[in-house]
mmCIF file of all heavy atoms in Angstrom:
data_model
loop_
_atom_site.group_PDB
_atom_site.id
_atom_site.type_symbol
_atom_site.label_atom_id
_atom_site.label_comp_id
_atom_site.label_asym_id
_atom_site.label_seq_id
_atom_site.Cartn_x
_atom_site.Cartn_y
_atom_site.Cartn_z
ATOM 1 N N PHE A 4 105.539 101.495 84.961
ATOM 2 C CA PHE A 4 106.572 100.542 85.524
ATOM 3 C C PHE A 4 106.141 100.056 86.874
ATOM 4 O O PHE A 4 105.408 100.701 87.651
ATOM 5 C CB PHE A 4 107.980 101.194 85.572
ATOM 6 C CG PHE A 4 108.112 102.360 86.535
ATOM 7 C CD1 PHE A 4 108.400 102.127 87.865
ATOM 8 C CD2 PHE A 4 107.887 103.638 86.069
ATOM 9 C CE1 PHE A 4 108.469 103.245 88.740
ATOM 10 C CE2 PHE A 4 107.959 104.686 86.958
ATOM 11 C CZ PHE A 4 108.266 104.480 88.255
ATOM 12 N N HIS A 24 97.742 107.439 110.715
ATOM 13 C CA HIS A 24 98.539 108.580 111.302
ATOM 14 C C HIS A 24 98.630 108.404 112.804
ATOM 15 O O HIS A 24 97.885 107.700 113.474
ATOM 16 C CB HIS A 24 97.851 109.951 110.956
ATOM 17 C CG HIS A 24 96.462 110.073 111.469
ATOM 18 N ND1 HIS A 24 96.198 110.401 112.777
ATOM 19 C CD2 HIS A 24 95.244 109.910 110.839
ATOM 20 C CE1 HIS A 24 94.879 110.425 112.902
ATOM 21 N NE2 HIS A 24 94.251 110.128 111.824
ATOM 22 N N LEU A 42 117.204 121.849 124.439
ATOM 23 C CA LEU A 42 117.730 122.533 125.561
ATOM 24 C C LEU A 42 118.935 121.882 126.131
ATOM 25 O O LEU A 42 119.888 122.595 126.553
ATOM 26 C CB LEU A 42 116.592 122.688 126.663
ATOM 27 C CG LEU A 42 116.803 123.574 127.854
ATOM 28 C CD1 LEU A 42 117.198 125.001 127.407
ATOM 29 C CD2 LEU A 42 115.564 123.579 128.738
ATOM 30 N N ALA A 101 105.166 129.639 116.941
ATOM 31 C CA ALA A 101 105.197 129.139 118.392
ATOM 32 C C ALA A 101 106.539 129.486 118.974
ATOM 33 O O ALA A 101 106.531 129.907 120.179
ATOM 34 C CB ALA A 101 104.918 127.618 118.330
ATOM 35 N N LEU A 141 116.348 128.896 118.376
ATOM 36 C CA LEU A 141 116.670 128.531 116.987
ATOM 37 C C LEU A 141 116.795 127.076 116.781
ATOM 38 O O LEU A 141 116.297 126.398 115.820
ATOM 39 C CB LEU A 141 117.962 129.279 116.576
ATOM 40 C CG LEU A 141 118.405 128.945 115.115
ATOM 41 C CD1 LEU A 141 117.371 129.428 114.134
ATOM 42 C CD2 LEU A 141 119.786 129.665 114.896
ATOM 43 N N LEU A 147 112.368 120.820 115.342
ATOM 44 C CA LEU A 147 110.972 120.473 115.098
ATOM 45 C C LEU A 147 110.605 120.491 113.624
ATOM 46 O O LEU A 147 109.805 119.607 113.189
ATOM 47 C CB LEU A 147 110.067 121.537 115.834
ATOM 48 C CG LEU A 147 109.992 121.516 117.365
ATOM 49 C CD1 LEU A 147 109.364 122.807 117.885
ATOM 50 C CD2 LEU A 147 109.247 120.257 117.824
ATOM 51 N N TYR A 176 99.250 120.424 83.856
ATOM 52 C CA TYR A 176 99.015 121.621 82.945
ATOM 53 C C TYR A 176 98.918 122.905 83.775
ATOM 54 O O TYR A 176 98.140 122.933 84.742
ATOM 55 C CB TYR A 176 97.841 121.443 82.043
ATOM 56 C CG TYR A 176 97.523 122.589 81.169
ATOM 57 C CD1 TYR A 176 98.187 122.739 79.950
ATOM 58 C CD2 TYR A 176 96.709 123.643 81.526
ATOM 59 C CE1 TYR A 176 97.978 123.776 79.135
ATOM 60 C CE2 TYR A 176 96.470 124.793 80.713
ATOM 61 C CZ TYR A 176 97.193 124.813 79.457
ATOM 62 O OH TYR A 176 97.010 125.916 78.632
ATOM 63 N N ASN A 255 91.379 119.167 72.321
ATOM 64 C CA ASN A 255 91.061 118.429 71.101
ATOM 65 C C ASN A 255 92.327 117.923 70.391
ATOM 66 O O ASN A 255 92.338 116.781 69.838
ATOM 67 C CB ASN A 255 90.228 119.271 70.168
ATOM 68 C CG ASN A 255 88.748 119.444 70.680
ATOM 69 O OD1 ASN A 255 88.231 118.569 71.343
ATOM 70 N ND2 ASN A 255 88.156 120.546 70.401
ATOM 71 N N ASN A 276 95.059 115.819 103.312
ATOM 72 C CA ASN A 276 94.805 114.452 103.120
ATOM 73 C C ASN A 276 95.246 113.956 101.807
ATOM 74 O O ASN A 276 95.176 112.729 101.498
ATOM 75 C CB ASN A 276 93.377 114.076 103.362
ATOM 76 C CG ASN A 276 92.934 114.400 104.771
ATOM 77 O OD1 ASN A 276 93.589 114.124 105.692
ATOM 78 N ND2 ASN A 276 91.701 115.017 104.863
ATOM 79 N N ILE A 299 72.644 129.619 90.788
ATOM 80 C CA ILE A 299 71.276 129.516 91.204
ATOM 81 C C ILE A 299 71.065 130.335 92.495
ATOM 82 O O ILE A 299 72.027 130.616 93.261
ATOM 83 C CB ILE A 299 70.818 128.058 91.476
ATOM 84 C CG1 ILE A 299 71.630 127.389 92.629
ATOM 85 C CG2 ILE A 299 70.929 127.237 90.148
ATOM 86 C CD1 ILE A 299 71.138 126.049 92.923
ATOM 87 N N ALA A 344 59.780 101.536 89.592
ATOM 88 C CA ALA A 344 60.952 100.645 89.427
ATOM 89 C C ALA A 344 61.468 100.331 90.783
ATOM 90 O O ALA A 344 62.030 101.187 91.488
ATOM 91 C CB ALA A 344 62.024 101.364 88.558
ATOM 92 N N TYR A 456 47.749 120.349 79.083
ATOM 93 C CA TYR A 456 46.778 120.145 80.207
ATOM 94 C C TYR A 456 47.238 120.904 81.483
ATOM 95 O O TYR A 456 46.465 121.547 82.083
ATOM 96 C CB TYR A 456 46.627 118.638 80.565
ATOM 97 C CG TYR A 456 45.546 118.419 81.557
ATOM 98 C CD1 TYR A 456 44.213 118.331 81.204
ATOM 99 C CD2 TYR A 456 45.848 118.343 82.953
ATOM 100 C CE1 TYR A 456 43.177 118.127 82.113
ATOM 101 C CE2 TYR A 456 44.895 118.104 83.880
ATOM 102 C CZ TYR A 456 43.572 118.051 83.439
ATOM 103 O OH TYR A 456 42.543 117.857 84.358
ATOM 104 N N MET A 550 84.583 110.057 71.540
ATOM 105 C CA MET A 550 84.631 109.126 72.621
ATOM 106 C C MET A 550 85.503 107.909 72.303
ATOM 107 O O MET A 550 86.214 107.357 73.226
ATOM 108 C CB MET A 550 83.161 108.594 72.805
ATOM 109 C CG MET A 550 82.186 109.509 73.523
ATOM 110 S SD MET A 550 80.587 108.759 73.889
ATOM 111 C CE MET A 550 81.065 107.561 75.103
ATOM 112 N N ILE A 562 87.598 100.745 66.116
ATOM 113 C CA ILE A 562 86.193 100.690 66.380
ATOM 114 C C ILE A 562 85.386 101.167 65.180
ATOM 115 O O ILE A 562 85.546 102.280 64.715
ATOM 116 C CB ILE A 562 85.727 101.600 67.637
ATOM 117 C CG1 ILE A 562 86.468 101.050 68.909
ATOM 118 C CG2 ILE A 562 84.224 101.527 67.762
ATOM 119 C CD1 ILE A 562 86.016 99.791 69.436
#
Side-chain angles (χ1 to χ4, degrees):
F4 62 89
H24 58 81
L42 191 52
L141 178 61
L147 288 168
Y176 181 83
N255 286 330
N276 298 316
I299 61 172
Y456 187 83
M550 286 187 68
I562 298 288

